[in-house]
DNA sequence: AATTTTTTTGACCGATTGGACAAACGTTAG
DNA sequence: CTAACGTTTGTCCAATCGGTCAAAAAAATT
C-alpha cells in the first residue's frame, strides 16, 4: 500500500510495467505533444487502467520528464562520438549517417524532442543552454581546427551542425510529408539510403558541376 | 442575431475582428499545437470574450482550418517561383534565400505547419499527397533537366528539395535551440545572414577543400 | 495455510474544456 | 427618434481532464 513511486529497490513487475508505460507514453506524447496527450490514452495504449498507471508514476508530468531525460542521454551520443581521429570528411560523413540511422530507428524520440522544442522547450531550456551548448562549443573547436589546417573548406561550424541536425531529423519529424511527396513507389524504406547518398554528395561537393 | 459565420457580405467590424482573432490564434496554435490551445487563451489574446469569439467563428476547428488554408497558399509561393529562366545555381540560391526570409519573417506560420505535420498531418494529408506532390514533381522535372544538361551536379531532386525545406525551416521551428546554442553574443538577428552565407557555400561547393 | 506486501480497479472529485443561449448593448438607416 | 440589425457578454452545460482513495485481487513471504 505504501509509496510505489520511488522505491529504493524495484520489483520485477515494477520494472516491466514502468517500461511498458514509458513505451506507450512515447507513442502518445510524440504524436500529440504533451498537452495534447491524456493519461487515459497512455493507459489504454499500455493496456492498463489509469489508476494502475498512476501507481507507477506520480503523474503525467513525471512520465514526460522521465521520457525526456532518457531521450537526451542517447540523443546526443552521435555528436559526442565526433572527434578528430579520422579524416574530417569521413568524420562528418559518419556523423550524418549515424543521425540518419537514429531518425530511421527512433522516429518517436525525434518527434518527442521536436514537439518539446517547437513549444519553446519549457522543460529543457536550461539543458539546451548548458549541457548542449557546451558539447556543441567543444565540437565547434574541432571543426575550426580542421578549417585552420585547410582540411575542410572554411565554413560556419555552428550552422554546419544545425544543417546536419535539420536535414537528418527532417526524415523523422516530417516523415508524413516526405512519404506523401515521394509517393508509394519511392516512399519505401529505400528513402533513407537515398537520403544518405544525397546528403553525402551535398556535404562533400555541393551542387556546382565539376566540368 | 442571425448566423454571423458565413455572411455573404462582411461588415467592417467583421473583417477587422476576424483578422484580430486569426492573428491571436496563430500565436497560440503555433506555440501550443491544436489540442494544447484553448479558445479562452485565443479569446484573451484577441482581447475579447469567448462567446464573442464564437460569434465570428463556428468553433476551434473552424479557426484552425481557416488558418491552415491561408497559410498553405503563401507557404508554397517560393517553390512556385522556382523556374528555369535564370542560371540553376542562382535559381536555387534565390529559393534558399526566400525560404530563409520566410523563416525569419513568418516563424509562427512555420511552426503552425510543423505542428500539423508532426502530428501526422491529420487535417492536410490529402493536400500533401495532391497539390504539394504535384508542385514538387513539376519542380523535380526542372531540376532533372538541369542535371541532364550538366548545369548542376547529378543529385536526387526530391532530397535536394527536402534538404532546403529542412535547413531553412529549422531556423523558425527550432529557434529556441538555435538561440540557446549560439548564446547571447551570436544569437542576434545576424544569425539569419550567417545561415544564408553558410547554406549558400554548402549548396554550391560543399565542404571539400579546394586545394 | 496464513499473513503480509504488492498490484489492480471502480467509483469518485474538482477543475477545465468547447460550446450554447438568451438577454443586454451599440450602431445605424429610415 | 426609433425600429431593425449587428455585436457583446454573463451564465450555464455536458464532456473530458488529471488525479485520489479505499477496497479488492494477486503475489510473495513466512
Amino acid at each position: 500500500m505504501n509509496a510505489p513511486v520511488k522505491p529504493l529497490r524495484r520489483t520485477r513487475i515494477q520494472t516491466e510495467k514502468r517500461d511498458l508505460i514509458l513505451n506507450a507514453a512515447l507513442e502518445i506524447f510524440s504524436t500529440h505533444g504533451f498537452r495534447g496527450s491524456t493519461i487515459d490514452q497512455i493507459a489504454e495504449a499500455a493496456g492498463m487502467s489509469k489508476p494502475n498507471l498512476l501507481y507507477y508514476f506520480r503523474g503525467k508530468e513525471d512520465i514526460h520528464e522521465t521520457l525526456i531525460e532518457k531521450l537526451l542521454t542517447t540523443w546526443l551520443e552521435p555528436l559526442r562520438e565526433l572527434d578528430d581521429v579520422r579524416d574530417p570528411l569521413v568524420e562528418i560523413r559518419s556523423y550524418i549517417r549515424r543521425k540518419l540511422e537514429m531518425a530511421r530507428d527512433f522516429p518517436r524520440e525525434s518527434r518527442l524532442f521536436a514537439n518539446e522544442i517547437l513549444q519553446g522547450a519549457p522543460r529543457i531550456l536550461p539543458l539546451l543552454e548548458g549541457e548542449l551548448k557546451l558539447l556543441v562549443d567543444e565540437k565547434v573547436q574541432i571543426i575550426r581546427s580542421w578549417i585552420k589546417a585547410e582540411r575542410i573548406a572554411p565554413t560556419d561550424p555552428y550552422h554546419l551542425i544545425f544543417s546536419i541536425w535539420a536535414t537528418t531529423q527532417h526524415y523523422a519529424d516530417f516523415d508524413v510529408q516526405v512519404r506523401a511527396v515521394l509517393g508509394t513507389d519511392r516512399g519505401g524504406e529505400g528513402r533513407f539510403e537515398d537520403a544518405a547518398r544525397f546528403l553525402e554528395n551535398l556535404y562533400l561537393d555541393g551542387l556546382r558541376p565539376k566540368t
Side-chain angles (χ1 to χ4, degrees), chain A:
Chain A
M1 194 211 274
N2 247 343
V5 173
K6 277 213 167 178
L8 296 172
R9 299 175 189 182
R10 272 185 193 138
T11 68
R12 172 185 54 88
I13 296 186
Q14 276 167 10
T15 20
E16 281 176 11
K17 289 296 170 78
R18 279 180 65 98
D19 271 11
L20 194 68
I21 292 169
L22 287 176
N23 186 52
L26 178 58
E27 188 70 33
I28 303 296
F29 279 139
S30 66
T31 49
H32 298 102
F34 180 75
R35 288 207 50 192
S37 306
T38 71
I39 302 187
D40 294 270
Q41 275 179 299
I42 298 172
E44 196 195 329
M48 64 178 68
S49 67
K50 178 169 64 174
N52 194 13
L53 182 148
L54 286 170
Y55 172 72
Y56 293 103
F57 287 91
R58 249 165 304 183
K60 192 180 173 183
E61 196 87 37
D62 187 22
I63 305 175
H64 192 261
E65 194 186 318
T66 309
L67 229 36
I68 291 272
E69 261 173 40
K70 188 180 279 192
L71 158 70
L72 282 174
T73 51
T74 57
W75 204 240
L76 295 178
E77 201 46 40
L79 183 55
R80 273 189 233 282
E81 288 176 19
L82 184 88
D83 49 33
D84 58 353
V85 296
R86 290 179 290 175
D87 179 70
L89 293 180
V90 171
E91 206 70 57
I92 290 171
R93 191 176 136 278
S94 296
Y95 180 50
I96 293 173
R97 287 239 169 220
R98 277 193 295 264
K99 285 292 285 178
L100 215 42
E101 279 164 14
M102 295 201 68
R104 183 192 60 196
D105 299 335
F106 306 103
R108 299 182 306 176
E109 281 83 350
S110 183
R111 280 193 282 264
L112 180 72
F113 186 73
N115 259 306
E116 184 66 13
I117 301 293
L118 250 185
Q119 309 190 356
R123 287 166 254 270
I124 57 167
L125 187 56
L127 210 142
L128 299 184
E129 292 167 333
E131 195 178 337
L132 176 63
K133 178 170 171 50
L134 279 176
L135 179 60
V136 171
D137 283 346
E138 182 193 322
K139 301 307 177 182
V140 161
Q141 287 310 318
I142 296 179
I143 297 172
R144 286 217 174 104
S145 76
W146 289 341
I147 296 173
K148 190 160 282 179
E150 291 184 0
R151 300 171 71 192
I152 67 170
T155 194
D156 188 313
Y158 285 104
H159 292 279
L160 172 57
I161 292 175
F162 291 154
S163 72
I164 295 176
W165 287 349
T167 48
T168 55
Q169 289 174 9
H170 187 80
Y171 291 96
D173 303 342
F174 287 71
D175 181 55
V176 191
Q177 190 184 51
V178 168
R179 294 163 95 109
V181 168
L182 287 181
T184 46
D185 43 334
R186 292 204 42 189
E189 281 306 308
R191 67 188 188 280
F192 283 99
E193 260 313 307
D194 293 343
R197 261 193 301 273
F198 165 79
L199 290 176
E200 202 167 309
N201 278 335
L202 176 67
Y203 278 90
L204 287 188
D205 298 309
L207 298 176
R208 201 193 295 275
K210 290 272 174 59
T211 60

